[in-house]
């Protein structure tokens, strides 16, 4: 199944809210979604995402980012992906340029792999030549996604695997 990775719009409120509800009900991580699920108001989140891409209104410790949502062919939101446009000390250590999650019912279908591939191209468009992507050592699925997209292991720190992807050479 092919996915489209794109910034959310006003018209995506129901699809994004359904995705967030499913992730929350399953107790899943919401990596790639920068907001408190318990205080989520779609219009406010959308406005904050748009401002954050320009470095405005960022909470303490945040860097400018572009928020994406993964959509399947039917328009269902199947995941979040957050592309951080710069790195701070925390992101260099543990978070990297990318955070993502996929709807529990859609995992194992290659959606994260496709989303990361599309995010690499977006990173290149934003002038990021080397992309830091991390995963927990206990998450072999995420490791496979990173490796399939050209990730080269830099090191492992406190159970966090840190990979670099050359966005210029990535396919």
């Amino acid at each position: 199944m092919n996915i489209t990775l794109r910034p959310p719009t006003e018209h995506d409120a129901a699809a994004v809210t359904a995705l967030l509800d499913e992730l929350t009900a399953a107790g899943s991580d919401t990596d790639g979604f920068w907001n408190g699920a318990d205080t989520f108001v779609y219009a406010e989140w959308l406005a904050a995402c748009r401002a954050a891409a320009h470095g405005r209104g960022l909470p303490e410790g945040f860097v400018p980012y572009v928020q994406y949502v993964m959509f399947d062919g039917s328009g269902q939101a199947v995941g979040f992906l957050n592309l951080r446009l710069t790195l701070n000390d925390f992101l260099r250590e543990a978070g990297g340029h990318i955070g993502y999650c996929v709807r529990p019912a859609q995992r194992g279908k290659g959606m994260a792999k496709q989303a990361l591939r599309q995010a690499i191209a977006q990173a290149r468009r934003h002038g990021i030549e080397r992309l830091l992507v991390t995963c927990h050592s206990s998450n072999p699925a995420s490791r496979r996604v990173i490796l399939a997209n050209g990730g080269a292991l830099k090191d492992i720190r406190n159970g966090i695997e840190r990979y670099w992807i050359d966005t210029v050479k990535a396919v």
Side-chain angles (χ1 to χ4, degrees), residues 80-140:
F80 292 110
L81 187 140
N82 190 280
L83 172 62
R84 296 140 196 157
L85 301 177
T86 62
L87 297 175
N88 58 21
D89 290 341
F90 171 77
L91 295 173
R92 271 186 211 88
E93 185 71 23
H97 283 100
I98 300 276
Y100 60 86
C101 65
V102 173
R103 183 184 289 261
Q106 299 299 325
R107 292 180 184 155
K109 298 179 180 179
M111 292 180 187
K113 180 180 172 184
Q114 289 179 55
L116 182 55
R117 182 178 311 119
Q118 292 177 40
I120 292 166
Q122 291 299 325
R124 187 173 43 246
R125 287 184 193 100
H126 284 282
I128 302 169
E129 294 180 2
R130 286 180 28 123
L131 194 65
L132 179 62
V133 185
T134 67
C135 70
H136 290 279
S137 295
S138 60
N139 190 342

Side-chain angles (χ1 to χ4, degrees), residues 50-93:
R50 289 175 174 166
H54 302 286
R56 296 190 308 262
L58 295 170
E60 182 73 27
F62 277 53
V63 300
Y65 64 88
V66 179
Q67 180 67 57
Y68 295 98
V69 179
M70 302 172 211
F71 292 93
D72 68 11
S74 71
Q76 179 184 48
V78 295
F80 292 110
L81 187 140
N82 190 280
L83 172 62
R84 296 140 196 157
L85 301 177
T86 62
L87 297 175
N88 58 21
D89 290 341
F90 171 77
L91 295 173
R92 271 186 211 88
E93 185 71 23

